[in-house]
Amino acid sequence: MAYTEPMLNHERFCNAIRIKTLWPEGASKGEREAPLTAFQEFLATAYPAFHQTAEKWVLSPYSVIYHWKGTAPTGKPVLFLAHYDVVPVEAEKWSVDPFGAEVKDGYVYGRGTLDMKSILIGIMEGAEVLCVEGFQPKEDVWFAFGGDEERTGLLGAQNTAAWFKEKGIRFSWLLDEGTPIGQGLFPGLAAPMALFGIEEKGFLSVDLTVRQQPGHASQPTAVQAAAVLAEALVRLSKKPFPFALTPAIASFFSRLGRLMPGFQGWALRHARALGPVFFKAVAGNATIASLLHTTLAMTQLEGSAADNVMPSAVRGVLNLRLLPPWTVERALTFVKKAVADDRVEVSIHGQGNNPIPANPEHAKLAGPGWIAMEAALTETVPNVPILPFIMVAATDSRYFKDIAGGIFRFNPFILDSKEIALIHGHDERVSLENLNRGVRFYTALLKRL
Ligand SMILES: [Zn+2]
């Protein structure tokens, strides 16, 4: 039975979890960086055979790069991305020590067990075993691990990508964390299906600000800033971003439709031909709608600090997830047009990311890396259907879009919606079964390169 094979070495994984590579609020630079450096050093001692084989560069506590030279490279190097930082914890809400790596009921508990030390360690376990066996890949294989993905990736992934660009290194394709092998995510479909995140949505927050003369609430002005903002928000809610099928999502629905019986399956298979009829039918389903257009969420409202003081400004914040081809700039113009009121200032809040469209070949279940990914997964989880998908959260891979021919965002774990909800949540845990599955997947994949 493939799924009950013994763990290759789950003690190494537990030790990785025990290193507190989190970003506590208010921590000094030194406090933040010490565990990141400790993690880099842990890898060197835990995986000696790989470290004897591969060349390593430590750019900073936030970036470590490995080069595993190919025996007969054809100029198509492959990159594996991962991050070793984790999000903070509310320890009192956990039933176990979040950094204890306790094993119970077939699960390893701890922050980072899903997101994403399980992936990083899966890659390292695969590489180590293969090095011990004397295996060498044919192509050049690179690993790049980052220490600030959960913040911005500016210190880690961004610098790493710049390092590769400077050296003129381009990748045939890369694999980063992403969407899993989902189980029971779609009504009527209980069997697991692998979701390859070949496309990534962009991110944009927008400030809407209306200013006015501040003063005592006993003498309000005839036209109030809050009402102006409210009207703008109502206009926005009546003008959603248009629905469209990107090639990746069109391919996803058509594959999903083949797995679904009856009318539902037929409608999904014909989503493109049905066009507006299909969009209208699914518009009320938030999950499906999020795959079909740029979403706009009204997340924050701010006015006066006191109940009897007129605010000098009221502010609303919108959070947008951009579907290709909606860039930050285009989306901002769309919002301004929908607001249609010069009294409302529209500006970018923080930093936005443009969406990353899929390699068009990937949408057709082909293109750089597809065959290797498919074969490795089929070997690990026989007969699992593979569907192209879109990643709605940002990953480090976005910094590599100009130097990779194709990007996969994928977790080789079978997860249901309850387990997916544990990512960044309390009592985050990964099953030993999934941990094993990950090691087997990365080993199978590395062997094909
Ligand atoms: Zn992550």
Side-chain angles (χ1 to χ4, degrees):
M1 252 310 275
Y3 293 170
T4 50
E5 277 174 16
M7 268 304 296
L8 289 182
N9 185 337
H10 92 252
E11 200 39 49
R12 284 198 282 233
F13 174 67
C14 291
N15 287 335
I17 294 300
R18 291 184 187 117
I19 304 169
K20 300 181 180 178
T21 51
L22 75 172
W23 284 73
E25 221 44 69
S28 71
K29 191 166 140 52
E31 285 166 337
R32 237 171 35 218
E33 293 184 352
L36 299 177
T37 300
F39 191 90
Q40 293 174 341
E41 287 164 359
F42 154 79
L43 291 180
T45 48
Y47 299 100
F50 178 70
H51 278 76
Q52 269 166 27
T53 309
E55 199 173 345
K56 174 171 96 165
W57 293 263
V58 176
L59 302 191
S60 73
Y62 307 93
S63 169
V64 55
I65 300 167
Y66 295 97
H67 179 200
W68 193 1
K69 276 204 182 69
T71 52
T74 61
K76 291 177 181 167
V78 177
L79 173 66
F80 290 76
L81 291 179
H83 66 85
Y84 45 92
D85 61 315
V86 297
V87 292
V89 292
E90 290 174 85
E92 67 281 2
K93 296 198 173 143
W94 284 60
S95 70
V96 293
D97 173 1
F99 295 96
E102 201 175 302
V103 184
K104 58 174 188 180
D105 309 326
Y107 282 81
V108 183
Y109 282 67
R111 177 57 88 222
T113 47
L114 285 171
D115 185 9
M116 63 170 280
K117 285 176 177 167
S118 44
I119 290 174
L120 191 154
I121 294 299
I123 297 168
M124 291 302 287
E125 291 284 340
E128 180 74 5
V129 168
L130 291 174
C131 284
V132 169
E133 288 173 359
F135 169 86
Q136 240 186 305
K138 193 165 117 316
E139 300 291 346
D140 278 339
V141 174
W142 294 79
F143 298 166
F145 302 150
D148 70 336
E149 193 274 347
E150 298 294 0
R151 289 295 162 118
T152 54
L154 292 173
L155 299 165
Q158 183 175 255
N159 285 334
T160 308
W163 186 88
F164 282 120
K165 277 180 201 169
E166 217 179 272
K167 289 191 144 32
I169 299 167
R170 259 191 73 88
F171 301 98
S172 172
W173 56 280
L174 76 80
L175 171 60
D176 195 4
E177 64 177 328
T179 36
I181 307 167
Q183 182 146 43
L185 300 189
F186 303 97
L189 283 176
M193 59 180 85
L195 302 169
F196 282 2
I198 58 168
E199 193 158 53
E200 184 169 299
K201 270 193 150 183
F203 180 102
L204 170 66
S205 284
V206 176
D207 275 327
L208 302 181
T209 311
V210 184
R211 298 178 200 281
Q212 68 184 3
Q213 193 61 40
H216 199 274
S218 62
Q219 292 170 349
T221 48
V223 179
Q224 298 192 36
V228 173
L229 178 63
E231 282 172 352
L233 293 175
V234 171
R235 276 194 299 279
L236 272 169
S237 68
K238 286 183 180 160
K239 198 167 186 318
F241 279 80
F243 281 57
L245 279 164
T246 68
I249 292 303
S251 178
F252 164 72
F253 280 124
S254 115
R255 304 276 298 171
L256 187 67
R258 274 182 245 170
L259 301 172
M260 264 193 194
F263 175 71
Q264 234 183 338
W266 178 87
L268 289 172
R269 287 197 301 280
H270 295 87
R272 188 178 281 293
L274 291 169
V277 180
F278 176 73
F279 297 149
K280 208 176 163 193
V282 297
N285 181 318
T287 309
I288 294 183
S290 74
L291 305 175
L292 293 168
H293 75 153
T294 290
T295 54
L296 181 152
M298 300 173 183
T299 53
Q300 292 179 294
L301 282 174
E302 195 180 75
S304 173
D307 68 334
N308 60 351
V309 175
M310 292 283 287
S312 61
V314 294
R315 192 173 69 103
V317 181
L318 316 172
N319 183 252
L320 283 69
R321 302 303 168 104
L322 312 170
L323 186 76
W326 288 89
T327 59
V328 166
E329 206 178 324
R330 260 189 85 185
L332 199 65
T333 306
F334 183 93
V335 169
K336 277 181 189 160
K337 266 193 187 156
V339 164
D341 187 339
D342 290 341
R343 293 169 298 177
V344 184
E345 295 166 28
V346 180
S347 58
I348 297 181
H349 175 109
Q351 213 203 338
N353 300 324
N354 284 327
I356 319 281
N359 174 314
E361 288 299 305
H362 282 175
K364 297 176 196 154
L365 318 186
W370 190 277
I371 287 174
M373 287 282 294
E374 186 179 58
L377 186 63
T378 307
E379 189 183 316
T380 315
V381 187
N383 301 320
V384 70
I386 299 174
L387 285 72
F389 204 59
I390 188 163
M391 180 80 190
V392 290
T395 64
D396 268 346
S397 68
R398 68 186 184 278
Y399 293 110
F400 297 79
K401 68 175 174 16
D402 302 327
I403 54 168
I407 300 178
F408 293 95
R409 305 153 190 91
F410 176 61
N411 294 359
F413 307 134
I414 299 182
L415 301 177
D416 59 22
S417 53
K418 270 190 201 146
E419 280 178 294
I420 291 171
L422 293 170
I423 295 169
H424 292 198
H426 314 313
D427 278 355
E428 181 180 344
R429 58 187 175 271
V430 67
S431 69
L432 290 169
E433 224 174 72
N434 269 327
L435 217 43
N436 258 334
R437 195 170 277 129
V439 174
R440 285 190 285 115
F441 170 73
Y442 291 110
T443 309
L445 185 55
L446 287 166
K447 267 172 133 167
R448 285 181 163 75
L449 302 179

